[in-house]
Structures are given as C-alpha cells and as structure tokens.
Amino acid sequence: MKIPFLVLLITLVASNVAAQQINRFQNTQSIDDFFQYKPNRKRPLILAHRGGPGPADTENSIVTFAKTAKMLPDAIIEMDVRMTRDSSFVLLHDATLDRESNAKGPVAEWTLSDLREIKLKTLVGELTDQQIPTFSEILAWNKNRFMLALDIKPGTDPLSVMKEVQKQQAEYSVFVICYSFLEAQRVRNRYPTLWLAVGINGIEDIARLEKDSLLIGRRLIALTPQKVQPASFYERLHKLGIPCSVGTYGAGQLDEKPVTEATQEYRALFRQGGDIITTDRPVEVSKLF
C-alpha cells in the first residue's frame, strides 16, 4: 500500500524536528540567545521548580522531567544536586531521604550503591518503583535538548559538579544557581562563559553588583524576591542586561491559589519585570501567556 505524500511529509518533518532537538543547546550562542534579556518579550520563560511534579508525580526524577519537557519543550527544568558519601552526585531536594523516599537519614551518609536500593515517593507520599537518579543519568537523558537549572546544594562543590557537565559536553544546556556572590565568582573564574543565577534581594544587592567584578561578561540571572518589587527594581537590573527570575511557589505564594484567582497576578508579575517565572505548576502558568 502506498503511503500518502502528505502523511509521509509530516512524518519526515516530525523526525527532523525530533533530531534537531538533540544538542539544541550546543554552543555559547544558543544559550545566550535563550537567556538574553529581551525588552519586547511577549511571554516569560517558565522554570519548572523541582521539575514541575503534580501531586501524583515524583520530584527530581527523569519520569517527571520527561513529562514536563513533552508538554513544554521550552521550559527550564530545575533540579537539586547532592553528593553521596562516596562522592557521587544524585538528585534530591531535601538533605535527608525521609520525605521523598522509603528510606531515612542524610543523603550524604549513603553510598550510591545503597541509594540504588531505595524508591521515590510522589508528592502525596505514594511509593513508586522509581530510583533516585544520578546527575550523570540526567545529562545523558537530556542530550542538550532542554535547559537545566542546577541548584547545587550546600556541601556539594559546584566545580566538581561542573566537571561532570563538561565530561558529558553539556555546559551549554545548564546554568548554576549560586548561594552567594563569592560562590558565583569562584565558579565564574573557572567557567567564564557559564550562565549563573544569584540572589538579588534588594537595591543594596544591585548597588553591590554594579561594582562587582562578577558583572564583567554578564551572563547573569537575578533571583529576585517572591514579593513583587517596584518596576524600578527590575528596570535597574534590565539596564545591566540581566533577566529577572521570580518564584511563585511555597506557602502563601501564587502557586497556592486556584489558577483562575491568580491569573491576573501572574500576568502582572511578568508586566512588572519578571522575565522568568519559577513555579510548581509550569504547564498551567504557561497557558496564561
């Protein structure tokens, strides 16, 4: 039976698109184009907090990352990187295993082989057959298709994590969340073209940044307060060419409200100057723009 030409054409296009997705972020220009501050941006970038799990999903897992990426190919997938007792890197938000798995105790006291025996729980506490993924498994799964936000937890060396990133040639599909200007500068010294995210909690931090050597070369994302700031706050960062990220997750925040009630607030946040919205419900928030 002959395959209709239109069906064949659609199949070929679809396969080409799928092929193009691999190594979408493969050089400095590709990541710079993605994050560069754009004053005429029509919609915010959406950052999926912990990968964007729903109540029945596991957080920080390949299953959830793949689910979010399928629905939102341009979403930024955030993950939490921790080090095991034998210096391997795994994904887990909490310092202990208690909430997210069927085991207990600090991640740092477990070896990777022992962690392979435990299973992840969903957000509502249901046990699954999913293992805690290693960071290297995530990079191998991603193949530079989606942008990854690395929240490298205290006690885990970001430079060691970046060695694994380099090993898998993934340095253009990640950015690193830093907990201080000092840490950010340490990473910048070693990786001068890497995008970094740093906390900017007030005007004083902007003033400090304006005089800091970290500003040289830019490639910075400002992690701004969850409470909406005056427009002048975001404008001052935008004048430096720095996009602003705002979190809407957590107790008392927008993500806790019904979407219908919070719609205008999400949109106002973007109009005010929030270039990146970090949310627990990325799919629903994306649909508002």
Side-chain angles (χ1 to χ4, degrees), residues 35-37 195 220-223 237-238 241-245 273 275-276:
F35 279 123
Q36 182 181 17
Y37 168 63
W195 277 80
L220 295 173
I221 298 167
L223 304 177
L237 287 163
H238 289 159
I242 298 175
C244 300
S245 174
D275 308 289
I276 303 170

Side-chain angles (χ1 to χ4, degrees), residues 150 152 156-163 165-166 171 174-198 214 216 218-220:
L150 309 185
I152 301 172
T156 302
D157 182 16
L159 295 183
S160 296
V161 173
M162 282 303 300
K163 286 182 181 178
V165 172
Q166 275 195 306
E171 57 265 43
V174 305
F175 74 91
V176 173
I177 296 170
C178 299
Y179 282 76
S180 68
F181 279 29
L182 186 62
E183 181 183 69
Q185 188 61 67
R186 178 170 171 260
V187 178
R188 172 58 53 79
N189 289 343
R190 180 65 183 82
Y191 299 96
T193 62
L194 181 67
W195 277 80
L196 304 173
V198 292
L214 189 61
I216 300 172
R218 304 300 196 272
R219 293 194 174 94
L220 295 173

Side-chain angles (χ1 to χ4, degrees), residues 139-157:
L139 296 177
W141 162 80
N142 187 38
K143 297 182 177 68
N144 297 325
R145 294 176 297 166
F146 312 108
M147 184 55 59
L148 309 181
L150 309 185
D151 187 349
I152 301 172
K153 293 301 187 181
T156 302
D157 182 16

Side-chain angles (χ1 to χ4, degrees), residues 16-185:
N16 286 337
V17 170
Q20 289 169 357
Q21 289 177 342
I22 294 175
N23 287 325
R24 176 166 60 139
F25 298 105
Q26 61 179 319
N27 51 40
T28 302
Q29 182 177 346
S30 59
I31 188 171
D32 287 354
D33 289 346
F34 186 80
F35 279 123
Q36 182 181 17
Y37 168 63
K38 300 177 179 67
N40 298 318
R41 185 184 290 278
K42 302 300 181 184
R43 53 184 292 115
L45 294 173
I46 301 296
L47 193 153
H49 185 231
R50 304 184 196 180
D57 300 320
T58 52
E59 59 187 67
N60 278 296
S61 70
I62 290 179
V63 172
T64 296
F65 293 169
K67 180 180 176 181
T68 297
K70 182 178 180 180
M71 292 184 284
L72 295 177
D74 282 330
I76 302 164
I77 300 173
E78 189 253 4
M79 61 197 62
D80 304 287
V81 185
R82 291 189 178 276
M83 189 168 67
T84 66
R85 193 177 78 198
D86 52 351
S87 301
S88 297
F89 300 117
V90 296
L91 301 193
L92 204 77
H93 179 271
D94 298 355
T96 65
L97 295 158
D98 304 36
R99 178 181 66 86
E100 299 166 75
S101 78
N102 62 343
K104 295 184 182 297
V107 180
E109 294 180 2
W110 287 65
T111 64
L112 179 59
S113 60
D114 289 337
L115 286 175
R116 289 299 200 184
E117 301 300 317
I118 71 175
K119 304 298 182 183
L120 291 173
K121 291 180 179 179
T122 65
L123 292 191
V124 295
E126 303 238 345
L127 193 63
T128 72
D129 61 357
Q130 298 175 41
Q131 295 178 317
I132 294 178
T134 66
F135 180 54
S136 61
E137 288 171 344
I138 296 299
L139 296 177
W141 162 80
N142 187 38
K143 297 182 177 68
N144 297 325
R145 294 176 297 166
F146 312 108
M147 184 55 59
L148 309 181
L150 309 185
D151 187 349
I152 301 172
K153 293 301 187 181
T156 302
D157 182 16
L159 295 183
S160 296
V161 173
M162 282 303 300
K163 286 182 181 178
E164 182 62 32
V165 172
Q166 275 195 306
K167 181 180 176 181
Q168 299 211 31
Q169 299 180 326
E171 57 265 43
Y172 304 113
S173 61
V174 305
F175 74 91
V176 173
I177 296 170
C178 299
Y179 282 76
S180 68
F181 279 29
L182 186 62
E183 181 183 69
Q185 188 61 67

Side-chain angles (χ1 to χ4, degrees), residues 3 7-8 44 118 126 244 248-249:
I3 300 175
V7 173
L8 180 60
I118 71 175
E126 303 238 345
C244 300
T248 57
Y249 58 89

